[in-house]
Amino acid sequence: MPSPRLLLGVFLFATALAAAQAPRPDVYLITLDTLRADRVGCFGAKDAQTPSLDRLCRDGVRFAQAFTPSPITNTSHATILTGLLPSHHGVTDFALPLAADKPTLANALRAAGYKTGAFIGAVILDSKTLAPGFGRGFDFYFDFPAKAAGKSRYGRVERRALDVVKRAEQWVAATKGPRFAWIHLYDPHDPYDPPPPFAARFKERPYEGEVAYTDSAVGRFLGFLEAHELYRDAVVIVVGDHGEGLGEHGEDTHGIFLYDSTLHVPLIVKLPKQHAAGVSVPTQVRTTDIAPTVLSLLGLPAMAASDGADLAPLWGRGDAAERVAFAETDYPLRFGWAPLRGVRAAGHKYIEAPRAELYDLKADPEEKKNVYEPWNAEVQRLRQTLAAANLRRPDQAAAVPAATVAELKALGYFPEKVGETTASEPSLLPDPKDHIAEQNLLHRAMMAEEDGDSAASRKALEQVLELDPKSYFALAQLGQMELKAANYRAAAPLLTQALEQRPQDATLAAALGRAHYQLGQYADARQMLETSLKLMPGQPEARKLLGAAFLKLKDYSAAEDQLEAAALLMPSDAEIYELQAEAYRALGKAQLAQKAAARAKTLRAARNPKK
């Protein structure tokens, strides 16, 4: 008869073999854009209507103190997918690519045999435009169409949560496991526009209405998993990418400051078979910890580089070892203000800014009393900790491709590349704390413009100029508005003042050139248009207008050159050929003039056929 020791060895071997051969669990990562932790029921919100997230807290592990390193969507998501801090993964601004040498969770899981799909709720995470490189590792990525039809923001720059969830459900149902699905729900982001019946139910609290609606979409997806017997054995992770200011510290939305209102996020991890269900972890953790945790749960090798750590010890044995949380934002640079860096540790937060800040989070959890003193021991310790993290300090904002400018504006962000400085240190730039009222007004102006409310947009921009008469953004935006409204005498001085601050802005120079042309100031128009085309040659409309200006100045040869170039760029523009015909007639080129006029007539007829 075999010995008990031998039988035990066989049993353990068989158990290990069965575990090795067992199918790996599905992983569902649900990121909720702009969701503050304190607006979720199981995180302490007494009047929240978040039954789906509350249910996940009961079924999984709740991390009461989870923090993102960035208050910007694409930057924070790059951290979730890589386990790296923004300075280390490089996506510190809009449209910056996630480099190929930065491995992602999707890469690792696909290499391990997972089917991978990504379902995004806003164009800011589109892998072909504003989030290049995010599609690496995904078999399917639910990008936005190149030319979205209609004027509604839904389908053009944003998707409702239920539309995202339905597409994810289709993919899951059609895909054999193991599966990794990333589902991004954008709705809590402003503008706060909850659909019925949430709009009526939360008439006075539209942000909370968006949260409740998003929670209902999460509930639908969880119900789908249950109906297909996929919920019990799956890993489900729900996390906010960042929070929302909601007026705290004067910040209406997010992106500028590094306070807990925009960095403290809900994080819930539901484990297979509801292991550790109902556990609440008070220890400070970070969204950098998500990717390492998933790989550890699946028994897969860790990434070569990571700024995070496995969360399992915290629910396994209640390990309370502190995890230092870093934070950074470069978004203030878009307004010409200093970027910020911060660190949260040992009950204190230090924010590196032109006017530095220190908060005792135990005595002052709302960060209302800045107790910074340069000789303070906590300041010295946290400064050293922050320096050791090696967070990059840029001296200018990143450039944004022209094709993505409209989308960023529709989402309420300022895409223009500004903030270039000759200062030896970014800390010599203005402190964002001194300008947050301007940023709020600029944001309101952009959202009003997106809604077609030019009066509200104009009022907000005029209020910005009352605070700062030299605000480039307000001058440029108002100038463009006046130009669009054909108020050329009002547009020209506004655009001139803006261009004085940013002489390398080709778009602004072209706009000023158009204003001068319409005012009959053809020499000034020519100068501005030539300046614009030197800075950015590929502007067919600017070339056409420059050709028209040369015609007015009776420089017919120069007009001929510009209009021929414009015709090559816009061969179906009838107006160009009409202008060409005028130039050719003045030059005595009757045959060419006749040919150009005939071409213009054909194009006009094709565009307006007789019924």
Side-chain angles (χ1 to χ4, degrees), residues 291-332:
T293 300
V294 172
L295 295 177
S296 175
L297 282 171
L298 303 180
L300 297 175
M303 293 180 187
S306 178
D307 292 314
D310 185 9
L311 292 168
L314 300 181
W315 69 67
R317 63 173 184 267
D319 186 347
E322 176 172 86
R323 302 189 176 192
V324 177
F326 296 99
E328 49 188 304
T329 179
D330 292 348
Y331 188 49

Side-chain angles (χ1 to χ4, degrees), residues 262-338:
T262 59
L263 299 184
H264 184 201
V265 295
L267 173 59
I268 309 166
V269 179
K270 189 211 76 77
L271 301 167
K273 299 178 177 59
Q274 277 69 289
H275 175 68
V279 170
S280 181
V281 175
T283 304
Q284 177 172 290
V285 299
R286 303 79 49 96
T287 58
T288 52
D289 299 328
I290 292 172
T293 300
V294 172
L295 295 177
S296 175
L297 282 171
L298 303 180
L300 297 175
M303 293 180 187
S306 178
D307 292 314
D310 185 9
L311 292 168
L314 300 181
W315 69 67
R317 63 173 184 267
D319 186 347
E322 176 172 86
R323 302 189 176 192
V324 177
F326 296 99
E328 49 188 304
T329 179
D330 292 348
Y331 188 49
L333 270 173
R334 296 211 158 270
F335 304 87
W337 311 328

Side-chain angles (χ1 to χ4, degrees), residues 77 104 182 254 293 310 312 323 340 345 391 415 438 456 497 547:
H77 277 90
T104 70
W182 165 33
H254 58 272
T293 300
D310 185 9
R323 302 189 176 192
L340 304 179
L391 304 184
E438 295 169 41
Q497 291 178 71

Side-chain angles (χ1 to χ4, degrees), residues 9 68 137 144 166 206 216 221-222 233 301-302 332 396 406 429 505 508 547-548 606 610:
T68 178
F144 278 66
K166 287 175 183 177
S216 73
F221 185 70
L222 299 182
D233 293 325
Q396 65 182 53
L429 293 171
D505 190 323
L508 208 58
K610 293 181 179 180

Side-chain angles (χ1 to χ4, degrees), residues 75-86 88-91 98-99 102-107 134 136 287-292 295 303-308:
T75 305
S76 60
H77 277 90
T79 285
I80 291 168
L81 294 173
T82 64
L84 296 172
L85 291 166
H88 302 160
H89 59 59
V91 186
L98 181 55
K102 307 299 181 188
T104 70
L105 193 52
N107 292 135
F134 277 60
R136 280 189 300 105
T287 58
T288 52
D289 299 328
I290 292 172
L295 295 177
M303 293 180 187
S306 178
D307 292 314

